Amino acid sequence: MAAPIPVPRRHPAIKLLNDRATDCDSLITHLDRSPVREKIMTFQVPFWSHVILGGLLAWRAIRGSSQYSTLFFVLYGDFFVKQNTSMSWTWTVINLAIDLLLYKLVWPGVREFITGHLWLRLRWGFRETEIVFRKPTGWRRALLNGLPPEEFERQSTDILYRAIDPKLVSLNTGYLTRSDYWVLEYGAVGDAYSLVATGEVDIKTWDMNVWTRKGGEWYVWEVWRLHNTETMDMVIATMSEKLKSMGKEDVVEQWKSMRTPGKPVTTQTTSAIVDLFRSQGISLEELWADSMKEVTARATA
């Protein structure tokens, strides 16, 4: 991988990067150009899921209000059992335990969705070209901290290459672009839209880039320069060579007949290609990731 380019200290993006990367030292950005209709349909899944979960919490809160003060719990984080409850103490304790478990497990996700994804859509709507931020977080990221340095570098690099795979971002939209521990950061998107709206930053600044912070300074690896038709043809050529070395010349010919040279693979043909590779006991994802890694390394050497 070529050395990332230093980001000038006075660049308008610096404040955004510092504000939104308080718990990490790297961010991935890309532009989502998928159809607006597809973005709306994809949004329905998390929206209705959280509506159901929010409804469940509201129902439990209303039901439990006859046994204890739900307002007291929300405000002070403790339960205040009402003395005039008709329910036995045993059932009261059981219901308290259920409600507490639901509150601890479900409410954080619902609150995060409301203040993040939902607020972003209410404020900025659905756009033909949308900015997407992803950051490394969660328990899967924490697991890498205990690895030896060389293994940590190898795994984190492999995960990064999967996250910036052009196939992932071109065939998916919204939350479906999350990859391993790279999850969406919605707060940064609103900030980025504001910078674009004021003319401080061109929207192309947020195309496929990997932003990293080292020693308090920010650097950017302009991955978008590699995500073009020529690069994809090189990746496919590398995959074909790997398949031939495995004695899978027939797979190469069948695969070749499914795509048009010089054009990216469409969503319609993806399923057929996956089935072809699966029938031969070959992981398309692994082969693609390995080939993309080789091509990227050669291009940035």
Side-chain angles (χ1 to χ4, degrees), residues 59-102:
W59 174 71
R60 290 299 305 182
I62 295 173
R63 182 182 177 85
S65 62
S66 63
Q67 305 163 42
Y68 54 84
S69 176
T70 54
L71 179 61
F72 187 86
F73 175 72
V74 172
L75 293 177
Y76 301 103
D78 201 357
F79 285 101
F80 178 77
V81 180
K82 296 181 178 180
Q83 297 298 321
N84 61 345
T85 178
S86 60
M87 186 175 292
S88 67
W89 275 98
T90 300
W91 279 110
T92 298
V93 171
I94 292 175
N95 276 273
L96 284 172
I98 293 174
D99 291 340
L100 180 60
L101 182 63
L102 284 174

Side-chain angles (χ1 to χ4, degrees), residues 40-140:
I40 295 175
M41 294 299 295
T42 302
F43 175 71
Q44 300 301 311
V45 176
F47 175 75
W48 289 111
S49 298
H50 286 90
V51 166
I52 293 172
L53 292 174
L56 173 63
L57 289 175
W59 174 71
R60 290 299 305 182
I62 295 173
R63 182 182 177 85
S65 62
S66 63
Q67 305 163 42
Y68 54 84
S69 176
T70 54
L71 179 61
F72 187 86
F73 175 72
V74 172
L75 293 177
Y76 301 103
D78 201 357
F79 285 101
F80 178 77
V81 180
K82 296 181 178 180
Q83 297 298 321
N84 61 345
T85 178
S86 60
M87 186 175 292
S88 67
W89 275 98
T90 300
W91 279 110
T92 298
V93 171
I94 292 175
N95 276 273
L96 284 172
I98 293 174
D99 291 340
L100 180 60
L101 182 63
L102 284 174
Y103 181 80
K104 294 293 185 181
L105 295 180
V106 178
W107 173 242
V110 173
R111 180 180 56 194
E112 182 178 349
F113 173 76
I114 294 173
T115 59
H117 197 174
L118 181 59
W119 171 248
L120 177 69
R121 290 306 182 187
L122 292 174
R123 174 66 180 84
W124 298 99
F126 295 89
R127 301 177 165 216
E128 291 185 3
T129 300
E130 296 187 344
I131 302 170
V132 179
F133 273 76
R134 287 176 290 168
K135 70 177 183 179
T137 187
W139 62 269
R140 283 180 291 185

